[in-house]
Amino acid sequence: MAEIMNDKDDDKVRLDKWLWAARFFKTRALAKAAIEGGKVHHRGERCKPSKEPKVGDELVIRSGFDERTIIVQLLSGVRRGAPEAQTLYRETPESIERREQAAAQRKAGALGMQTDGRPSKKQRRQIHQFRDNQDG
């Protein structure tokens, strides 16, 4: 782990590269696209992929249904194993609680919304017929 902090190139690392190294995204291109798409915020504002994160920075990262608030602990531009990548950041307790609550709500909501799958051809015709009657 001491290697991570002593690399000369890691004094200044791009945000997209750090997010990739911290394993938030599978590729650097996906990290860059997420940043440009407004999924990563620093101090409540959108960032650029070239932003240089600093130790202690608080980032909000949206990915799918989840929104994580993390604090940068270490800088690294090298992607390593997941246990080592998790040392690069710390997720805030509020963020963990919010994510767990949202996951529980999604799970509870999914249980009440069971379907038989895709509608059959006959059911699709009935749906189209019903819609046409509603419009006219």
Side-chain angles (χ1 to χ4, degrees), residues 21-76:
R23 293 185 166 262
F24 285 104
F25 299 97
K26 284 189 175 190
T27 66
R28 198 166 154 193
L30 287 173
K32 183 180 178 191
I35 295 167
E36 289 173 345
K39 307 269 189 237
V40 180
H41 291 255
H42 176 253
R43 295 185 187 159
E45 295 181 7
R46 290 172 65 160
C47 309
K48 291 185 177 180
S50 60
K51 178 180 178 17
E52 295 175 356
K54 295 175 180 43
V55 174
D57 280 357
E58 187 174 297
L59 300 172
V60 177
I61 303 166
R62 274 188 293 135
S63 178
F65 292 114
D66 294 332
E67 184 174 288
R68 297 172 182 247
T69 304
I70 59 143
I71 297 170
V72 177
Q73 300 282 70
L74 297 170
L75 298 178
S76 176

Side-chain angles (χ1 to χ4, degrees), residues 3-136:
E3 279 180 24
I4 294 175
M5 294 179 4
N6 294 335
D7 289 345
K8 292 176 185 172
D9 298 336
D10 292 340
D11 295 343
K12 292 187 176 183
V13 64
R14 291 171 53 103
L15 182 60
D16 59 345
K17 195 169 187 178
W18 185 85
L19 288 170
W20 167 75
R23 293 185 166 262
F24 285 104
F25 299 97
K26 284 189 175 190
T27 66
R28 198 166 154 193
L30 287 173
K32 183 180 178 191
I35 295 167
E36 289 173 345
K39 307 269 189 237
V40 180
H41 291 255
H42 176 253
R43 295 185 187 159
E45 295 181 7
R46 290 172 65 160
C47 309
K48 291 185 177 180
S50 60
K51 178 180 178 17
E52 295 175 356
K54 295 175 180 43
V55 174
D57 280 357
E58 187 174 297
L59 300 172
V60 177
I61 303 166
R62 274 188 293 135
S63 178
F65 292 114
D66 294 332
E67 184 174 288
R68 297 172 182 247
T69 304
I70 59 143
I71 297 170
V72 177
Q73 300 282 70
L74 297 170
L75 298 178
S76 176
V78 180
R79 187 173 171 102
R80 296 213 170 96
E84 222 170 309
Q86 289 174 346
T87 63
L88 298 178
Y89 64 92
R90 177 176 51 87
E91 189 171 2
T92 62
E94 299 86 25
S95 173
I96 294 170
E97 188 177 326
R98 269 195 320 255
R99 278 192 313 112
E100 288 173 353
Q101 286 177 351
Q105 286 176 349
R106 284 196 306 271
K107 191 173 182 181
L111 295 175
M113 200 173 84
Q114 292 182 347
T115 64
D116 294 333
R118 292 178 52 182
S120 67
K121 190 169 185 178
K122 181 178 179 183
Q123 290 169 333
R124 280 198 309 272
R125 284 190 194 124
Q126 290 172 339
I127 291 169
H128 291 298
Q129 189 178 27
F130 178 75
R131 285 186 186 159
D132 290 343
N133 289 340
Q134 295 297 314
D135 293 339

